[in-house]
Amino acid sequence: MKILFASSEIHPLIKTGGLADVAGALPVALRQKGLDIQVIMPAYSGMLEKVSAIHQSVNLGNPFGVGDLHLLQATLPDSELPIYLVQCQSLFEREGGPYLDPQGQDFQDNHLRFAAFSWACAFVAQHGHLLGWQPDILHLNDWQTGFAAAYLKSWKLNHIPIVTTVHNLRYNGSFDLASYPETRLSNELLSLHGMEFYGRYSALKAGLVYADAITTVSPTYAAEILTPAFGDGLDGTLAALRHKLSGILNGVDYNEWSPERDGHIAQQYTANNLDGKLKNKLALQRENNLPERADAVVFGVVSRLTEQKGLDLIPEAIIPALEQGAMLVLLGSGDKALELQYLNLQARFPEQVSIRIGYDEAYSHRLQAGVDVLLIPSRFEPCGLTQLYALKYGTLPLVRHTGGLADTVFEDGPEANGFVFYDASTTALGETIQRALHTFADTERWRTLQTTAMNQDHSWDKACDQWLALYRRLRPDA
Ligand code: ADP
Ligand code: GLC
């Protein structure tokens, strides 16, 4: 079976969040299960130097009048995974990230950039035989690929089954109707049952309404998004489509995220040798000019700083713990007001708080290995990967009970592996931080929790069986 897997970011080429981790690992895992899978992504600046040799280059013409689109075929670094890069100089080769300019603002022409990328995905899905590789299924991820479903719908050619995976409903790729003509899509698709979205048009909605199957990245989030509190205006649409919606939990690429073979960390370790973890803790304290103290509970955060993540609750909730001698180490960037709040906390507790504003893949590994507790107080969390990484490193996650966090972190029972709170309030978070401190004092209990966490299996292998079953349902003939 041939699958075209479309994503706007893929680790290790480019990453802003968990989508890149998924797009870099799930296709590799599915390939090992015998699927013929290729990924497709825009050729942002610097991409061509990061992939291995270009095997094929095809000019797709100039369908948007902004310059030719080229389809380049290469291989993802450190894997056998074939990757198509969609090249268009005027749209993708610029300073900044994949979605934001260097000032952190959305690019003004994101509708056009991702319409063009999606058009190329639809082209390969529809006309792949002309390139020598015809997919049986098109697998879309998030709004950046949603227009592909609209192009396929409007071309009215052979039906190619589409799976759309929602990694985050908050980002719905909706734009002012004035820009709609630039997508070159017909007005026919702008109905209430089409892409129309509160007087705008939404790429994600196109991906949902024109898909044959919709998945999201955890069972709990799949249920949550049917409610107004989590549906971000799409709950009505999703409720009408619930017969094709399911939740498949993400996995972890343990080649990247395992303390026994992690090349980024000070000392490798296993569940049987947790002294190695202590060396990482002391190294992390040293690296951050904090006193080297084994007995101080170190709380950590690795996150995008956005409203979603509930990180505004921590600066107040953690103060009593800091006054009791705990430490906080944060790596993140995003919301400027939040960055400032954390820098102020660091100024107040310079011996206990270390804040690093920025994005640093290697440091994120050292942090996961070095802290005792990873704080994830998310208001909503479609899946969350950092708690899964934490578990493997014997770092106990402290999470709010929502989405994928609710499906993977437990405070009680035989699967207990962390700390859980329910109310998105500083009080509830503060109380849970106190429970973590008390538990840390009980060395035996802490070890048990760590060992349980480290032995839990969140490999992609499990998720692959669910993916294979879904693909087979859509293409029993392939
Ligand atoms: P989301 O996709 O909502 O950001 P996830 O938990 O699914 O949340 O994935 C986040 C990914 O991004 C993880 O791999 C995490 O380690 C990484 N990450 C987040 N912020 C940073 C940062 N500042 N530096 C390095 N890695 C980061
Ligand atoms: C999104 C979500 C996150 C999820 C990731 C990968 O960015 O916010 O919860 O883990 O996608 O699916």
Side-chain angles (χ1 to χ4, degrees):
M1 190 160 10
K2 296 185 173 56
I3 313 286
L4 181 64
F5 188 98
S7 175
S8 57
E9 45 184 275
I10 296 173
H11 177 74
L13 294 178
I14 185 149
K15 166 166 162 181
T16 71
L19 170 62
D21 288 356
V22 173
L26 172 59
V28 174
L30 286 168
R31 205 175 170 78
Q32 280 160 4
K33 296 277 179 185
L35 286 192
D36 182 359
I37 185 160
Q38 303 220 26
V39 294
I40 182 167
M41 178 187 104
Y44 306 110
S45 301
M47 279 316 92
L48 298 188
E49 294 83 71
K50 292 191 189 169
V51 294
S52 61
I54 306 294
H55 313 306
Q56 193 186 19
S57 169
V58 181
N59 188 334
L60 302 180
N62 186 3
F64 294 90
V66 292
D68 287 356
L69 300 181
H70 293 269
L71 191 66
L72 311 177
Q73 198 186 33
T75 310
L76 199 68
D78 305 325
S79 82
E80 303 281 287
L81 191 69
I83 176 164
Y84 281 123
L85 293 170
V86 179
Q87 190 184 41
C88 179
Q89 199 184 8
S90 70
L91 296 180
F92 300 123
E93 289 171 37
R94 35 174 96 162
E95 303 246 306
Y99 323 119
L100 306 179
D101 68 19
Q103 284 70 48
Q105 302 298 317
D106 282 328
F107 287 118
Q108 286 303 305
D109 57 351
N110 271 346
H111 60 289
L112 187 56
R113 298 174 71 234
F114 291 102
F117 170 54
S118 299
W119 183 95
C121 299
F123 181 92
V124 178
Q126 189 64 249
H127 303 294
H129 55 280
L130 301 175
L131 309 163
W133 189 81
Q134 175 59 52
D136 299 306
I137 291 178
L138 175 59
H139 187 157
L140 304 178
N141 291 278
D142 275 355
W143 76 265
Q144 296 88 342
T145 58
F147 289 129
Y151 289 112
L152 287 172
K153 177 81 181 168
S154 65
W155 293 343
K156 300 190 172 107
L157 297 169
N158 287 341
H159 179 70
I160 303 287
I162 296 173
V163 183
T164 297
T165 298
V166 178
H167 296 263
N168 196 329
L169 205 61
R170 177 62 56 89
Y171 304 104
N172 53 34
S174 74
F175 302 98
D176 194 302
L177 281 180
S179 68
Y180 187 71
E182 293 174 50
T183 66
R184 319 252 164 148
L185 284 161
S186 87
N187 284 341
E188 217 182 300
L189 304 183
L190 272 184
S191 72
L192 195 63
H193 299 291
M195 299 167 66
E196 194 280 337
F197 182 74
Y198 299 93
R200 295 161 69 83
Y201 65 104
S202 156
L204 181 61
K205 194 176 169 209
L208 300 177
V209 296
Y210 303 128
D212 298 270
I214 302 169
T215 71
T216 185
V217 287
S218 70
T220 294
Y221 191 61
E224 286 173 339
I225 56 179
L226 299 175
T227 67
F230 292 91
D232 280 298
L234 283 166
D235 39 297
T237 302
L238 284 162
L241 302 171
R242 67 192 309 163
H243 56 282
K244 52 181 186 180
L245 171 68
S246 62
I248 303 180
L249 197 66
N250 284 331
V252 176
D253 182 353
Y254 287 130
N255 291 321
E256 294 260 340
W257 293 99
S258 285
E260 63 263 35
R261 59 187 113 122
D262 190 329
H264 297 296
I265 63 179
Q267 168 80 50
Q268 296 171 344
Y269 60 98
T270 65
N272 298 327
N273 168 24
L274 281 165
D275 293 349
K277 180 160 175 59
L278 180 59
K279 294 211 174 92
N280 286 291
K281 175 169 167 174
L282 299 175
L284 185 71
Q285 290 170 330
R286 198 159 52 242
E287 170 174 6
N288 287 303
N289 296 319
L290 300 172
E292 287 177 49
R293 289 204 24 210
D295 62 322
V297 181
V298 182
F299 292 88
V301 175
V302 182
S303 187
R304 294 183 294 117
L305 306 184
T306 62
E307 207 258 344
Q308 167 187 349
K309 302 289 179 180
L311 298 171
D312 49 304
L313 300 176
I314 295 177
E316 186 184 324
I318 202 162
I319 286 179
L322 295 175
E323 286 168 351
Q324 291 160 270
M327 296 183 177
L328 173 69
V329 180
L330 174 141
L331 167 65
S333 65
D335 185 287
K336 297 292 164 219
L338 210 49
E339 289 181 3
L340 197 64
Q341 237 184 314
Y342 278 101
L343 291 169
N344 286 339
L345 191 68
Q346 176 178 250
R348 184 168 157 199
F349 294 94
E351 298 272 285
Q352 287 160 275
V353 175
S354 165
I355 304 301
R356 195 175 296 194
I357 302 299
Y359 184 91
D360 187 335
E361 188 75 25
Y363 182 59
S364 74
H365 285 246
R366 297 201 295 280
L367 195 155
Q368 284 277 13
V371 305
D372 298 301
V373 179
L374 194 75
L375 296 173
I376 316 175
S378 304
R379 294 203 161 75
F380 70 95
E381 195 61 74
C383 178
L385 294 170
T386 56
Q387 85 278 17
L388 302 180
Y389 303 156
L391 292 172
K392 188 67 181 170
Y393 284 72
T395 295
L396 302 185
L398 187 164
V399 308
R400 182 156 172 271
H401 186 85
T402 184
L405 300 172
D407 292 333
T408 55
V409 182
F410 313 98
E411 188 156 341
D412 301 305
E415 295 292 291
N417 57 7
F419 305 93
V420 182
F421 70 105
Y422 289 78
D423 264 7
S425 69
T426 47
T427 312
L429 173 58
E431 284 167 6
T432 312
I433 288 175
Q434 288 301 317
R435 288 206 299 284
L437 288 183
H438 288 133
T439 310
F440 187 80
D442 180 349
T443 314
E444 210 171 305
R445 171 75 183 150
W446 196 268
R447 281 271 156 131
T448 305
L449 291 171
Q450 283 183 304
T451 314
T452 307
M454 294 177 85
N455 288 325
Q456 284 164 339
D457 178 13
H458 285 286
S459 60
W460 274 109
D461 217 43
K462 276 199 204 160
C464 277
D465 292 341
Q466 288 170 279
W467 282 110
L468 289 173
L470 176 64
Y471 290 153
R472 286 209 186 97
R473 203 161 70 235
L474 294 174
R475 279 309 292 257
D477 56 316

